[in-house]
Amino acid sequence: MKRLAQLCLGWLAVVMLHASVHAAAPQIDALEPPHWWIGFSESRLQLLVYGPGIAKARVSLAGPGWRLERVERTDSANHLFLHLVISASATPGPRELIVTRDGVQRRQPYLLKAREPGSAKRRGFDGRDVILNLMPDRFANGNTSNDNVPGMGDPADRSAPGGRHGGDLQGVIDRLDYLSAMGFTAIWMTPVLENRQTAYSYHGYAATDLYRVDPRLGTLDDYKRLAAEARRRGLGIIQDAVPNHIGDGHRWLRDPPSRDWIHPAPPQAPLTHHARTSIRDGYAVQGDRDRFTRGWFAPSMPDLNTSNRLLAQYLEQATVWWIEEVGLMGLRVDTWSYSDAGFLSRWAARLRREYPRLGIVGEEWSLNPVVVAAWQGGNPLFGKPLGRAAQSPADTTRPTVPSLMDFPLHDTLRRALVEPESWGTGWVRLYEFMVNDRLYADASKLVLFDGNHDVPRLAPALNHDPALQKMALAYLLTTRRIPQLYYGVEVMLDSPKTHDAFDLFRADFPGGWPGDPVDAVSGKGLSAAQADLQQWLRRLMIWRKSQAAIHRGELTHFFPEDGSYVFVRHLPGAAPVLVAFNKADQARALGMRRFRSAVSLPTHGTDVTTGEALDLRSELLLPPNGVRIIEFGKGSR
């Protein structure tokens, strides 16, 4: 019997040895981040290893300058989290992860790179900039070979408003000279990450891989080349970040790294009700706040649980990775307030530690200035309860984002321009609205826009009136904000006026496709009104680049009278700029004494948009339905 047992054990040992010799090495389907850098202020790095059964593996590191602090396993058999520390003395170069399972080893290459010189000190966007918002799929098709990519689905169909139209990164590269010549200094593109969705993938807000450029837009190398070519022309790239949700084509929906990685899906839980005020409302119940932040944005957009610390660090690192890899100027953050408030504060603070001047603007789509102002870092009113109401949980979190999209002023400007003048409408509405700037930590850091991919275009909103469009753009480019324009505004691109025709707000840029009858770049096919506005806007934006008073000066405005509204931008040591609007059908003569009583102004100036020299010793003559932007530069008396 003993001899039989020995034979059985021997046979079992041979079988096990044979199995170990022929067992496959551990499979790794994703390692994220795919590489990293030395020299960050944060020395810790979290690596997510994804592969079948990888949670059973043991891991060690090979190479100097980094160490494995700990391995963390969740309830997922296919995910493993490695917590590493990178030494301050580490040098760039290749390293290896040694992953072992069932006695079989896999040596996984990993690269630690050197940061670009001056990376941490990069300039973000501010009052010196004019940002262009464009949708790559709708801007220009520079590479027709990537219109349809095997395995991606959602084929290109330019005739379908909600389909892919074939625009790509190469199309943007091809038009950088035009954008630079127009006077833009920054480009915010809607998301360029992979959206492997079965349909409606062109907008980019349903990412299915947070480390991959959508191949129908191009490659990572194309993206890096775009950023480099843009910088060479004085343009920065602003990436659209979406920490709140992903697309339902993402592998995480089928195989999440942990059970609580994604908030419960409908119908187990309702979609978000978009109640943005609930986060700051001391009277709101927690259930309403939870539905806002935990409900899915849409049935195809799973809501990420950003209170999960492993996911929070994953998202922080993914954002840093894109900034460093591509050389970004800043970030526009989609659906800002829908994520966990504590996460948002830590996420923005981490980015600002690594890049102190990085531009970050959050999308808080509320027309209530109190709701928007509460998110801006340094807000002196932040955290104060309303009467006897209890503070909301968000009020215990210090805001750290420097800028928000100024939806309240955007809406007010549009209303003011089309309303009749009265004691509560028109210019008076705009004048009185500006008192809300007291709510902000720094209103000059807000981004004010003529339009974007989610709202009706400026031309239909202003009844297709070229004069009103010039007034709107003049206000945007001279008031105390960071201006952002929507692609095609310079040639009056049209759209429906209704607020739910999203696909039609995103018309193709004229001339971006071979055979287009109109080309905004060359001017072919433009109407006289389109060409006039384009030329007028180009001159204004080029002039703006050198105006310190516009970039960082104070604003003094005067109560509207008889359809006119005037403000002055002024800064010690810089030439002041006076901006005067007239919505009346008749010319207006405004006495200069009123303006000089508040701001020191020379007696002579130049109309920026016409080049006309003006004698302003006694009065300012405004043309009917027009705007004057007057520079008091060198030689002014």
mmCIF file of all heavy atoms in Angstrom, residues 323-346:
data_model
loop_
_atom_site.group_PDB
_atom_site.id
_atom_site.type_symbol
_atom_site.label_atom_id
_atom_site.label_comp_id
_atom_site.label_asym_id
_atom_site.label_seq_id
_atom_site.Cartn_x
_atom_site.Cartn_y
_atom_site.Cartn_z
ATOM 1 N N ILE A 323 -2.036 64.934 -20.446
ATOM 2 C CA ILE A 323 -1.394 66.252 -20.389
ATOM 3 C C ILE A 323 0.079 66.132 -20.741
ATOM 4 O O ILE A 323 0.611 66.897 -21.558
ATOM 5 C CB ILE A 323 -1.560 66.869 -18.985
ATOM 6 C CG1 ILE A 323 -3.027 67.147 -18.680
ATOM 7 C CG2 ILE A 323 -0.738 68.158 -18.864
ATOM 8 C CD1 ILE A 323 -3.306 67.493 -17.224
ATOM 9 N N GLU A 324 0.726 65.156 -20.130
ATOM 10 C CA GLU A 324 2.172 64.996 -20.323
ATOM 11 C C GLU A 324 2.497 64.408 -21.693
ATOM 12 O O GLU A 324 3.436 64.842 -22.357
ATOM 13 C CB GLU A 324 2.736 64.103 -19.214
ATOM 14 C CG GLU A 324 4.227 64.167 -19.062
ATOM 15 C CD GLU A 324 4.720 65.481 -18.472
ATOM 16 O OE1 GLU A 324 3.947 66.141 -17.749
ATOM 17 O OE2 GLU A 324 5.884 65.843 -18.741
ATOM 18 N N GLU A 325 1.733 63.440 -22.141
ATOM 19 C CA GLU A 325 2.027 62.748 -23.398
ATOM 20 C C GLU A 325 1.830 63.651 -24.609
ATOM 21 O O GLU A 325 2.620 63.628 -25.558
ATOM 22 C CB GLU A 325 1.141 61.502 -23.524
ATOM 23 C CG GLU A 325 1.389 60.661 -24.764
ATOM 24 C CD GLU A 325 2.697 59.884 -24.731
ATOM 25 O OE1 GLU A 325 3.369 59.885 -23.670
ATOM 26 O OE2 GLU A 325 3.041 59.262 -25.748
ATOM 27 N N VAL A 326 0.778 64.451 -24.590
ATOM 28 C CA VAL A 326 0.439 65.268 -25.749
ATOM 29 C C VAL A 326 0.980 66.688 -25.627
ATOM 30 O O VAL A 326 1.260 67.336 -26.624
ATOM 31 C CB VAL A 326 -1.094 65.286 -25.962
ATOM 32 C CG1 VAL A 326 -1.493 66.173 -27.120
ATOM 33 C CG2 VAL A 326 -1.602 63.862 -26.193
ATOM 34 N N GLY A 327 1.156 67.150 -24.386
ATOM 35 C CA GLY A 327 1.584 68.524 -24.182
ATOM 36 C C GLY A 327 0.414 69.483 -24.186
ATOM 37 O O GLY A 327 0.420 70.498 -24.881
ATOM 38 N N LEU A 328 -0.610 69.173 -23.393
ATOM 39 C CA LEU A 328 -1.831 69.959 -23.391
ATOM 40 C C LEU A 328 -1.649 71.296 -22.678
ATOM 41 O O LEU A 328 -0.858 71.416 -21.741
ATOM 42 C CB LEU A 328 -2.963 69.184 -22.717
ATOM 43 C CG LEU A 328 -3.334 67.832 -23.323
ATOM 44 C CD1 LEU A 328 -4.391 67.150 -22.469
ATOM 45 C CD2 LEU A 328 -3.843 68.000 -24.761
ATOM 46 N N MET A 329 -2.432 72.277 -23.120
ATOM 47 C CA MET A 329 -2.480 73.583 -22.475
ATOM 48 C C MET A 329 -3.461 73.585 -21.302
ATOM 49 O O MET A 329 -3.313 74.344 -20.347
ATOM 50 C CB MET A 329 -2.918 74.627 -23.508
ATOM 51 C CG MET A 329 -3.049 76.036 -23.008
ATOM 52 S SD MET A 329 -3.875 77.056 -24.260
ATOM 53 C CE MET A 329 -3.071 78.631 -24.012
ATOM 54 N N GLY A 330 -4.486 72.759 -21.420
ATOM 55 C CA GLY A 330 -5.500 72.753 -20.381
ATOM 56 C C GLY A 330 -6.577 71.728 -20.652
ATOM 57 O O GLY A 330 -6.476 70.906 -21.568
ATOM 58 N N LEU A 331 -7.633 71.808 -19.834
ATOM 59 C CA LEU A 331 -8.727 70.850 -19.883
ATOM 60 C C LEU A 331 -10.055 71.589 -19.813
ATOM 61 O O LEU A 331 -10.194 72.570 -19.073
ATOM 62 C CB LEU A 331 -8.652 69.876 -18.711
ATOM 63 C CG LEU A 331 -7.375 69.062 -18.546
ATOM 64 C CD1 LEU A 331 -7.343 68.444 -17.158
ATOM 65 C CD2 LEU A 331 -7.284 67.983 -19.612
ATOM 66 N N ARG A 332 -11.011 71.121 -20.576
ATOM 67 C CA ARG A 332 -12.406 71.500 -20.392
ATOM 68 C C ARG A 332 -13.078 70.247 -19.840
ATOM 69 O O ARG A 332 -12.977 69.169 -20.419
ATOM 70 C CB ARG A 332 -13.020 71.935 -21.718
ATOM 71 C CG ARG A 332 -14.524 72.315 -21.613
ATOM 72 C CD ARG A 332 -15.408 71.140 -21.941
ATOM 73 N NE ARG A 332 -16.824 71.492 -21.982
ATOM 74 C CZ ARG A 332 -17.809 70.621 -22.144
ATOM 75 N NH1 ARG A 332 -17.543 69.330 -22.300
ATOM 76 N NH2 ARG A 332 -19.060 71.012 -22.182
ATOM 77 N N VAL A 333 -13.744 70.347 -18.706
ATOM 78 C CA VAL A 333 -14.268 69.171 -18.011
ATOM 79 C C VAL A 333 -15.773 69.092 -18.196
ATOM 80 O O VAL A 333 -16.529 69.952 -17.722
ATOM 81 C CB VAL A 333 -13.904 69.194 -16.517
ATOM 82 C CG1 VAL A 333 -14.252 67.847 -15.879
ATOM 83 C CG2 VAL A 333 -12.425 69.502 -16.325
ATOM 84 N N ASP A 334 -16.206 68.042 -18.881
ATOM 85 C CA ASP A 334 -17.619 67.833 -19.180
ATOM 86 C C ASP A 334 -18.386 67.450 -17.919
ATOM 87 O O ASP A 334 -17.844 66.813 -17.009
ATOM 88 C CB ASP A 334 -17.728 66.713 -20.225
ATOM 89 C CG ASP A 334 -19.143 66.479 -20.681
ATOM 90 O OD1 ASP A 334 -19.704 67.373 -21.328
ATOM 91 O OD2 ASP A 334 -19.684 65.397 -20.391
ATOM 92 N N THR A 335 -19.672 67.821 -17.876
ATOM 93 C CA THR A 335 -20.589 67.441 -16.784
ATOM 94 C C THR A 335 -19.902 67.555 -15.417
ATOM 95 O O THR A 335 -19.925 66.627 -14.622
ATOM 96 C CB THR A 335 -21.148 66.021 -17.001
ATOM 97 O OG1 THR A 335 -20.055 65.092 -17.205
ATOM 98 C CG2 THR A 335 -22.056 65.963 -18.206
ATOM 99 N N TRP A 336 -19.310 68.694 -15.167
ATOM 100 C CA TRP A 336 -18.452 68.881 -13.998
ATOM 101 C C TRP A 336 -19.105 68.436 -12.690
ATOM 102 O O TRP A 336 -18.560 67.619 -11.955
ATOM 103 C CB TRP A 336 -18.021 70.357 -13.908
ATOM 104 C CG TRP A 336 -17.319 70.675 -12.628
ATOM 105 C CD1 TRP A 336 -17.844 71.243 -11.513
ATOM 106 C CD2 TRP A 336 -15.942 70.413 -12.327
ATOM 107 N NE1 TRP A 336 -16.894 71.359 -10.533
ATOM 108 C CE2 TRP A 336 -15.720 70.854 -11.010
ATOM 109 C CE3 TRP A 336 -14.881 69.853 -13.034
ATOM 110 C CZ2 TRP A 336 -14.475 70.755 -10.387
ATOM 111 C CZ3 TRP A 336 -13.646 69.758 -12.418
ATOM 112 C CH2 TRP A 336 -13.449 70.204 -11.114
ATOM 113 N N SER A 337 -20.266 68.970 -12.369
ATOM 114 C CA SER A 337 -20.829 68.761 -11.034
ATOM 115 C C SER A 337 -21.487 67.405 -10.844
ATOM 116 O O SER A 337 -21.923 67.084 -9.732
ATOM 117 C CB SER A 337 -21.858 69.856 -10.733
ATOM 118 O OG SER A 337 -22.904 69.838 -11.688
ATOM 119 N N TYR A 338 -21.556 66.590 -11.894
ATOM 120 C CA TYR A 338 -22.232 65.297 -11.786
ATOM 121 C C TYR A 338 -21.380 64.271 -11.030
ATOM 122 O O TYR A 338 -21.875 63.233 -10.606
ATOM 123 C CB TYR A 338 -22.546 64.745 -13.176
ATOM 124 C CG TYR A 338 -23.643 65.484 -13.911
ATOM 125 C CD1 TYR A 338 -23.438 66.767 -14.396
ATOM 126 C CD2 TYR A 338 -24.879 64.899 -14.127
ATOM 127 C CE1 TYR A 338 -24.435 67.447 -15.084
ATOM 128 C CE2 TYR A 338 -25.884 65.565 -14.818
ATOM 129 C CZ TYR A 338 -25.655 66.844 -15.287
ATOM 130 O OH TYR A 338 -26.654 67.510 -15.968
ATOM 131 N N SER A 339 -20.087 64.519 -10.887
ATOM 132 C CA SER A 339 -19.219 63.598 -10.161
ATOM 133 C C SER A 339 -19.213 63.922 -8.669
ATOM 134 O O SER A 339 -19.705 64.973 -8.241
ATOM 135 C CB SER A 339 -17.786 63.688 -10.710
ATOM 136 O OG SER A 339 -17.727 63.333 -12.070
ATOM 137 N N ASP A 340 -18.639 63.040 -7.888
ATOM 138 C CA ASP A 340 -18.528 63.242 -6.446
ATOM 139 C C ASP A 340 -17.716 64.505 -6.160
ATOM 140 O O ASP A 340 -16.627 64.709 -6.717
ATOM 141 C CB ASP A 340 -17.841 62.021 -5.827
ATOM 142 C CG ASP A 340 -17.569 62.196 -4.347
ATOM 143 O OD1 ASP A 340 -18.532 62.177 -3.570
ATOM 144 O OD2 ASP A 340 -16.380 62.364 -3.991
ATOM 145 N N ALA A 341 -18.234 65.382 -5.299
ATOM 146 C CA ALA A 341 -17.597 66.677 -5.042
ATOM 147 C C ALA A 341 -16.201 66.516 -4.453
ATOM 148 O O ALA A 341 -15.282 67.271 -4.799
ATOM 149 C CB ALA A 341 -18.472 67.512 -4.109
ATOM 150 N N GLY A 342 -16.029 65.547 -3.550
ATOM 151 C CA GLY A 342 -14.708 65.329 -2.975
ATOM 152 C C GLY A 342 -13.702 64.899 -4.022
ATOM 153 O O GLY A 342 -12.544 65.355 -4.027
ATOM 154 N N PHE A 343 -14.137 64.035 -4.930
ATOM 155 C CA PHE A 343 -13.258 63.616 -6.024
ATOM 156 C C PHE A 343 -12.858 64.805 -6.883
ATOM 157 O O PHE A 343 -11.684 64.973 -7.234
ATOM 158 C CB PHE A 343 -13.958 62.567 -6.887
ATOM 159 C CG PHE A 343 -13.374 62.446 -8.271
ATOM 160 C CD1 PHE A 343 -12.169 61.792 -8.475
ATOM 161 C CD2 PHE A 343 -14.015 63.019 -9.373
ATOM 162 C CE1 PHE A 343 -11.614 61.696 -9.745
ATOM 163 C CE2 PHE A 343 -13.473 62.929 -10.637
ATOM 164 C CZ PHE A 343 -12.265 62.265 -10.827
ATOM 165 N N LEU A 344 -13.823 65.645 -7.242
ATOM 166 C CA LEU A 344 -13.526 66.782 -8.110
ATOM 167 C C LEU A 344 -12.486 67.704 -7.481
ATOM 168 O O LEU A 344 -11.578 68.192 -8.158
ATOM 169 C CB LEU A 344 -14.805 67.565 -8.400
ATOM 170 C CG LEU A 344 -15.840 66.854 -9.271
ATOM 171 C CD1 LEU A 344 -17.152 67.641 -9.283
ATOM 172 C CD2 LEU A 344 -15.323 66.656 -10.691
ATOM 173 N N SER A 345 -12.619 67.932 -6.188
ATOM 174 C CA SER A 345 -11.664 68.790 -5.496
ATOM 175 C C SER A 345 -10.265 68.196 -5.515
ATOM 176 O O SER A 345 -9.281 68.868 -5.825
ATOM 177 C CB SER A 345 -12.123 69.018 -4.049
ATOM 178 O OG SER A 345 -11.193 69.811 -3.355
ATOM 179 N N ARG A 346 -10.172 66.903 -5.197
ATOM 180 C CA ARG A 346 -8.849 66.256 -5.161
ATOM 181 C C ARG A 346 -8.265 66.118 -6.566
ATOM 182 O O ARG A 346 -7.049 66.264 -6.763
ATOM 183 C CB ARG A 346 -8.971 64.886 -4.492
ATOM 184 C CG ARG A 346 -9.304 64.963 -3.004
ATOM 185 C CD ARG A 346 -9.281 63.593 -2.352
ATOM 186 N NE ARG A 346 -10.324 62.715 -2.851
ATOM 187 C CZ ARG A 346 -11.558 62.651 -2.342
ATOM 188 N NH1 ARG A 346 -11.905 63.445 -1.337
ATOM 189 N NH2 ARG A 346 -12.451 61.811 -2.839
#
